[in-house]
Amino acid sequence: MSSREVIVLNVGGVRFVTRVSTLQQFPESRLARMVHDNDREFKLEDGEFFVDRDGALFSYIMDFLRTLQVSLPTDFSDYQRLQREAEFYGLYPLADLLSQEHLLKPRLEILEVRFSLQEMQTFFRIFGSCSTTIEALAGQITVFTGQQSGQGWNSPFPSQKPLVPLPLERPSHHDLVFLCGTEYSGDQFMARYVSIKPDNRKLINGTNVLGLLFDTLLKDGFHLISTRTVASEEKVECYTFERMKRAAGLAIMVNQTPGSSGVAQARRSQVQKRK
């Protein structure tokens, strides 16, 4: 059997086709020894290895062997059963990770948008419980500023200077602040436009910016759960969103040095499967 490059496993009636090298990622595991040993749990029938175990859970084990990452669906709950399967196959690094459910379970994420309309300007403050989400959102939002000549609020603008990107205010890692609209100073109108990627428009109306921001958050998996007035005299509205944030994948680093016994260590991976 060691001369095979491709192997077929029938796990509880579910067929898996993979490379022998994939099963040998962890040399001391039962799956790696299966290729050479006569294990009574793995019966060779019609050219396929049959094992009477849970085929659905084995799909996660195959994904782990192929990617060396543990990344489970947000609605996954069978941690103990999958841990038991990992122990059966001798994949103890995987079993150890599964015993630490808190590292793998999705977490509830809260995000607040505060919206304040004052005369011709609109102020936005976004607070999030996850700093990486705020960092990503800050990378999507750009404020452009420019001066325009005029004699009054209702006068046409005879000239306009090129718009210049303006850095967002970041009071902390968990929030960001920006504003849009116009203000009059001397004989100049100062205009601030907001653009939110991947939309290419530059919006100056606060209500339009709020609508685009809502669309962006909803497409990113957030759900609006509440709306409240924080300060009626200042017209401050607060919109609260939430979503279940998938845990970052956990990767296994396998020691491949000569004489190694296949010891593995876990580390955080920034690679994350799409929702």
Side-chain angles (χ1 to χ4, degrees), residues 91-134:
L91 297 170
Y92 296 108
L94 173 59
D96 290 342
L97 285 180
L98 290 168
S99 68
Q100 306 176 64
E101 295 182 23
H102 65 282
L103 297 178
L104 300 169
K105 285 184 175 180
R107 298 179 181 179
L108 181 64
E109 182 179 356
I110 301 295
L111 187 141
E112 283 190 354
V113 177
R114 295 202 174 195
F115 170 86
S116 176
L117 181 60
Q118 299 179 13
E119 296 183 352
M120 300 298 292
Q121 291 184 315
T122 306
F123 295 81
F124 291 86
R125 183 162 191 157
I126 304 175
F127 173 84
S129 59
C130 179
S131 61
T132 56
T133 297
I134 294 298

Side-chain angles (χ1 to χ4, degrees), residues 106-202:
R107 298 179 181 179
L108 181 64
E109 182 179 356
I110 301 295
L111 187 141
E112 283 190 354
V113 177
R114 295 202 174 195
F115 170 86
S116 176
L117 181 60
Q118 299 179 13
E119 296 183 352
M120 300 298 292
Q121 291 184 315
T122 306
F123 295 81
F124 291 86
R125 183 162 191 157
I126 304 175
F127 173 84
S129 59
C130 179
S131 61
T132 56
T133 297
I134 294 298
E135 190 69 31
L137 194 57
Q140 292 179 259
I141 299 174
T142 306
V143 177
F144 296 90
T145 183
Q147 291 182 342
Q148 299 171 311
S149 303
Q151 301 301 319
W153 288 107
N154 297 320
S155 301
F157 298 147
S159 64
Q160 179 176 333
K161 296 181 180 179
L163 297 179
V164 178
L166 188 68
L168 300 178
E169 292 183 43
R170 295 295 306 277
S172 74
H173 293 296
H174 288 274
D175 56 353
L176 62 91
V177 177
F178 63 92
L179 62 89
C180 64
T182 58
E183 61 179 343
Y184 187 64
S185 176
D187 61 347
Q188 297 288 330
F189 282 100
M190 179 66 71
R192 286 186 176 87
Y193 301 82
V194 174
S195 179
I196 304 177
K197 297 177 182 178
D199 194 291
N200 294 319
R201 293 173 296 169
K202 295 180 177 64

Side-chain angles (χ1 to χ4, degrees), residues 18-34:
T18 187
R19 293 181 179 274
V20 170
S21 58
T22 300
L23 299 180
Q24 293 177 328
Q25 289 278 19
F26 297 87
E28 294 184 349
S29 72
R30 201 170 188 177
L31 287 170
R33 298 197 309 269
M34 173 195 71

Side-chain angles (χ1 to χ4, degrees), residues 146-271:
Q147 291 182 342
Q148 299 171 311
S149 303
Q151 301 301 319
W153 288 107
N154 297 320
S155 301
F157 298 147
S159 64
Q160 179 176 333
K161 296 181 180 179
L163 297 179
V164 178
L166 188 68
L168 300 178
E169 292 183 43
R170 295 295 306 277
S172 74
H173 293 296
H174 288 274
D175 56 353
L176 62 91
V177 177
F178 63 92
L179 62 89
C180 64
T182 58
E183 61 179 343
Y184 187 64
S185 176
D187 61 347
Q188 297 288 330
F189 282 100
M190 179 66 71
R192 286 186 176 87
Y193 301 82
V194 174
S195 179
I196 304 177
K197 297 177 182 178
D199 194 291
N200 294 319
R201 293 173 296 169
K202 295 180 177 64
L203 304 176
I204 196 170
N205 181 281
T207 303
N208 293 340
V209 173
L210 183 66
L212 179 57
L213 179 60
F214 275 25
D215 288 344
T216 301
L217 295 175
L218 294 174
K219 288 178 181 177
D220 205 25
F222 281 98
H223 302 279
L224 179 64
I225 60 172
S226 70
T227 302
R228 72 182 191 275
T229 300
V230 178
S232 57
E233 64 278 4
E234 297 178 2
K235 298 181 181 179
V236 180
E237 301 292 333
C238 179
Y239 304 89
T240 303
F241 295 81
E242 71 175 19
R243 72 173 175 182
M244 293 302 294
K245 183 177 176 61
R246 186 192 300 269
L250 286 177
I252 295 291
M253 298 297 292
V254 183
N255 188 347
Q256 306 257 358
T257 57
S260 166
S261 60
V263 176
Q265 293 180 331
R267 68 175 176 85
R268 281 285 185 187
S269 171
Q270 298 304 316
V271 179

